[in-house]
Amino acid sequence: MNSAVIGFPRVGTLRELKFASEKYFRGEIDSEELEEVASKLRATHWKNQKDAGIDFISSNDFSFYDGMLDTAVLLNVIPKKYKELNLDELDTYFSMARGYQKDGNDVSALAMKKWFNTNYHYMVPEIYDDTEIKLTGKKVFKEFQEAEKQGIKTKPVLIGPFTFLKLARCYGEKNAKDFSDDIIKAYIEIVRKLKELGATWIQFDEPSLVTDLDDNDWQLFKKLYLEILGNKYGIKILLQTYFGDIRDYYDEIISLDFDGIGLDFIEGKENINLIKKYGFPSDKVLFAGLINGKNIWKANYERVFSKLEELKEYSSNIVLSTSCSLLHVPYTLEHETDLKPVVKKYFAFAIEKLQELKEISVLIETDDYKVEKEFAENRALYSKTAGENSGEISKIDRLNKDDFIRLPKRSERQKLQKKVLNLPMFPTTTIGSFPQTTEVKKNRTSFRNGEIGKEQYDRKVYELIERCIRKQEEIGIDVLVHGEYERNDMVEFFGENLDGYVFTKKAWVQSYGTRCVKPPIIFSDVKRIKPITVEYSKYAQSLTDKPVKGMLTGPVTILNWSFPREDISLEKMAYQIAIAIREEVLDLEKAGIKIIQIDEAALKEKLPIRKSDWYSEYLDFAIKAFRLCHSGVKPETQIHTHMCYSEFNEIIKDIDNMDADVISFEASRSKLTILDALKANNFETEVGPGVYDIHSPRVPFVREIVEAIEQMLEKIDKDKLWINPDCGLKTRGIPETEASLINLVEATKIIRSRY
């Protein structure tokens, strides 16, 4: 059986792309040196797949920053404000990703959003009425030829025209449909050129097909592909979907002239039923996504073979594939030398998943795969679960409805909190973290390597906390934070202090651009062993009369930014983590912390893509898990939360139902679009929409912050508005952070003088 990989991790086994890109941004290397690093990475990615015997290897899945951004540049969807900077091609590209503030120019970056139900973020293309969509880029062709020189025939991968138009934002009178003729011409030209270069297959990624579609969507999709498929020039086109099923218009989709259709059988629960109901065309290749591209557990061969045998009844031409791009898992287990063999044997990262594809594709062709060594070893691995703790399960069983309800009601609590905290109008605060400088990282590394002890490590952390408190007082922030200098990551830090987690050394996954995260792994039942943040928060509060927020990560975010178990439900894992965070919340309150922030940055991340599944499969338990964390605190204790980089408009009532006292949102990159939803739904929670974008290195001017606040006050009651950046500051440098916060405070003073 042939095998395929939808896409491969870009950053390299040890984040080589991240470090090279950051050197380029600092001017330490030039574009040729950056491209040399990228070329070596691509060569390694292709060779790894070839050596594993993968038959369909992707090209153009590599990116310096993001695939949607690459597609925008390929299609000339570059707003004038970036073109007018008169930069070279690469720097224009990076200005769209990061913004540009230099040589008298000040241009903000494109908006950034979550990529469907993952922790990856994509850049949102901007299409204006005068945008001329046409083929101008060359990357897809260059990389195909680059692979060919290495003796590797690849299938070039592109974001499909339907998904591109669905995810782009149109500004002006025109909508996506108005650009369909131009994008059709561009894609036909891409097909023609790739055919001339010798390509035999092209993969068009259309994950938007797994979302809720209406007839207008279907008409657009059909128009795009009837013309593109009518001009294939003899090349084969693979329609690739992932992250769900294509229950809308499945029968019409399979009737179109695609040569292959890729379906996800991990998250696409209905795909097998759709095939049983409507069949699968004999003239098409079924690319069966049966190797999980989003989780790190080894494939259960028995389940995979069972599904393959089932699919063979409906298709005689099957290619074994990953369920989605392997971009969403770490590169390799090779560097995880600290993992115990009893744990490590359960895992498969990207490189190891290539081996799984190879083994399964060979075994399925044997006379009796069940007697083969590889199958027997895998079955033995899954003959028992990694482990459950009956005590933790019983805690969940004992929960009742009162454990999820905080009294008195929020309106009464807010009056009491205003009196107790005595904050000024438009309180200023930050989201939590402060820059993770070389000094901070060196202290952590020295401790991890055993070069210093816990006492010396904490001494430095306390020194950094005091500096952070004094700087915030000097700037004039109203509600302070301790800076989070003891934390490597907002999820990994908590995982390290909870029983049931496993940690890696080099298992980095790209979140956006050069930002990589190292998600912890939930290996068994989760419980709190000891206080986690209490002493650091208590010390910070002792330094000042101003309130200092206790900073915690919420249970849903800890779950969603971890690699979860596959042997118990997400709901059970969420409640286990929530009980642990609840214990920490109550200890912070006992220590005198009056404001506690429980971040749920990733609340929307595991939200089912289809609305019909939102409550039954996710929101019902996700909201309850958050409420469980804070339902036991006193009325005067103020509970904050934070959310970022997702569109929350459709679940804004559910967010209000989390019953927090204050929430801060990412809002600056999404151009404050959330304000309309807050007003329309009579949002009760006090709110701090971010007034500037921290993911761009530019410093916002006072006037633009003032304008943002004034815009907020058109939709938010003045007694409910907080002023803050839109996310934590750990990725920024100290000079730009301090300059930005000084401007934030100055802008707030101007607004206070007006009100």
Side-chain angles (χ1 to χ4, degrees), residues 279-348:
F280 191 84
S282 59
D283 62 340
K284 300 186 192 325
V285 181
L286 173 59
F287 285 73
L290 288 165
I291 300 298
N292 195 335
K294 286 175 66 176
N295 211 347
I296 47 71
W297 300 88
K298 278 189 176 178
N300 185 322
Y301 283 12
E302 199 153 26
R303 290 181 188 170
V304 174
F305 281 107
S306 175
K307 189 69 69 177
L308 281 173
E309 295 293 352
E310 198 173 7
L311 290 172
K312 279 185 172 182
E313 296 180 23
Y314 300 92
S315 176
S316 59
N317 197 351
I318 299 175
V319 171
L320 178 66
S321 179
T322 55
S323 64
C324 61
S325 171
L326 296 178
L327 167 72
H328 308 291
V329 294
Y331 199 99
T332 179
L333 274 166
E334 177 187 351
H335 303 292
E336 303 309 324
T337 54
D338 289 349
L339 283 180
K340 297 177 181 178
V342 69
V343 171
K344 192 174 181 178
K345 67 181 182 179
Y346 283 96
F347 302 150

Side-chain angles (χ1 to χ4, degrees), residues 26-93:
R26 295 192 297 266
E28 296 171 11
I29 62 174
D30 60 24
S31 59
E32 288 186 8
E33 292 172 289
L34 177 60
E35 179 52 47
E36 183 179 350
V37 172
S39 180
K40 288 179 180 178
L41 287 174
R42 290 192 293 267
T44 302
H45 300 170
W46 292 325
K47 184 178 184 299
N48 285 333
Q49 294 173 74
K50 182 181 180 181
D51 290 347
I54 304 301
D55 300 285
F56 291 87
I57 298 171
S58 298
S59 60
N60 199 47
D61 54 338
F62 176 86
S63 176
F64 278 118
Y65 210 91
D66 167 59
M68 279 291 287
L69 180 60
D70 292 346
T71 309
V73 171
L74 181 74
L75 300 175
N76 193 45
V77 183
I78 305 173
K80 285 182 179 178
K81 59 185 176 182
Y82 302 110
K83 289 184 176 181
E84 290 172 352
L85 294 172
N86 294 316
L87 304 172
D88 62 26
E89 183 178 345
L90 184 61
D91 286 341
T92 299
Y93 173 90

